[in-house]
């Protein structure tokens, strides 16, 4: 019954059934091209793909590859200095983009002001702190929990002290807006 129904449907809708079969949909990784009823169209499409594939592969490789310090145009200093600069900028960005406004403001503001001057050891300690869960960072910054034992005596204590004395920790709407603008957080 179903086979018979499918045989009668194309005849009942006439010309549209034939054109619907030849419509091509390109869906990314949809697999190999299917043969079209019109062999000339299929051959032309395959020839175009063969011509376009090297450029496609090159674009895809550049799209997926992470940039390196060698890609930085006009970079000054040695490769290690440029890598350190990129690392500092990434840490400042990660500090500003935690997902919680309170943590973004406190940690992001501190990072923008202090990360460029950190030594390599302090930078490593700060990166460990930034790798914590956002709730844990929030609890440390707001003095709800103690600093983790492995981070005691480190840059985290400086951050906690700064947050305790920061105008961001106090309810002053004007100062809050000023700090957001000054540290490019809006």
């Amino acid at each position: 019954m179903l086979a018979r129904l499918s045989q009668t449907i194309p005849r009942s809708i006439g010309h549209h059934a034939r054109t619907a079969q030849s419509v091509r949909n390109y869906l990314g990784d949809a697999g190999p091209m299917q043969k079209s009823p019109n062999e000339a169209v299929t051959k032309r499409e395959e020839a175009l793909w063969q011509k376009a594939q090297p450029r496609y592969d090159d674009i895809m490789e550049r799209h997926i590859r992470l940039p390196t310090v060698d890609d930085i145009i006009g970079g000054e200093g040695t490769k290690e200095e440029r890598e350190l600069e990129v690392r500092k900028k990434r840490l400042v960005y990660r500090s500003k983009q935690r997902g919680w406004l309170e943590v973004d403001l406190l940690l992001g503001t501190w990072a923008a002001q202090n990360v460029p001057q950190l030594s390599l050891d302090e930078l490593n300690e700060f990166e460990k702190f930034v790798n914590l869960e956002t709730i844990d960072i929030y609890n440390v910054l707001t003095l709800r929990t103690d600093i983790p034992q492995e981070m005691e005596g480190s840059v985290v204590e400086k951050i906690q002290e700064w947050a305790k004395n920061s105008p961001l920790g106090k309810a002053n709407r004007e100062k809050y807006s000023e700090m957001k603008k000054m540290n490019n957080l809006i």
Side-chain angles (χ1 to χ4, degrees):
M1 174 78 173
L2 186 59
R4 192 194 266 157
L5 183 61
S6 65
Q7 290 173 355
T8 58
I9 290 175
R11 285 188 206 125
S12 64
I13 56 177
H15 171 70
H16 297 292
R18 280 178 261 140
T19 58
Q21 289 175 353
S22 63
V23 172
R24 303 273 309 197
N25 292 319
Y26 293 94
L27 302 174
D29 292 326
M33 293 190 332
Q34 302 296 318
K35 295 292 180 185
S36 165
N38 184 347
E39 195 65 33
V41 171
T42 302
K43 286 181 181 179
R44 191 171 64 233
E45 287 176 343
E46 286 177 3
L48 286 171
W49 174 245
Q50 293 301 319
K51 184 176 181 182
Q53 187 167 8
R55 175 130 169 88
Y56 168 85
D57 292 340
D58 181 50
I59 291 170
M60 185 58 79
E61 189 275 328
R62 282 186 282 133
H63 177 71
I64 293 172
R65 177 179 48 93
L66 290 173
T68 65
V69 293
D70 297 330
D71 297 333
I72 299 172
I73 298 172
E76 298 176 9
T78 66
K79 184 175 181 177
E80 291 78 22
E81 290 170 341
R82 288 183 293 168
E83 286 174 347
L84 184 61
E85 190 64 30
V86 167
R87 183 177 175 208
K88 287 179 179 182
K89 288 179 180 180
R90 284 182 180 160
L91 283 171
V92 169
Y93 177 81
R94 287 180 59 205
S95 300
K96 289 181 178 183
Q97 304 293 328
R98 298 297 304 191
W100 282 20
L101 180 61
E102 297 85 354
V103 176
D104 293 349
L105 287 172
L106 289 169
L107 190 62
T109 302
W110 186 90
Q113 293 173 357
N114 296 288
V115 165
Q117 292 84 27
L118 293 180
S119 69
L120 190 56
D121 290 336
E122 289 174 325
L123 200 63
N124 291 336
E125 293 169 358
F126 181 68
E127 187 167 21
K128 286 179 190 173
F129 183 62
V130 170
N131 287 337
L132 294 176
E133 293 292 327
T134 304
I135 184 71
D136 297 331
I137 293 172
Y138 175 76
N139 287 334
V140 169
L141 292 177
T142 58
L143 306 173
R144 294 171 191 244
T145 60
D146 293 331
I147 297 173
Q149 284 183 348
E150 65 273 5
M151 294 182 182
E152 286 180 359
S154 69
V155 73
V156 179
E157 286 182 355
K158 293 178 187 175
I159 298 169
Q160 195 178 47
E161 187 63 33
W162 178 88
K164 187 172 28 174
N165 297 320
S166 170
L168 293 175
K170 299 172 179 56
N172 182 336
R173 188 176 196 94
E174 291 78 28
K175 191 67 173 173
Y176 170 81
S177 295
E178 179 186 327
M179 292 299 286
K180 279 182 69 176
K181 288 178 185 173
M182 187 172 78
N183 291 292
N184 199 23
L185 295 170
I186 50 174

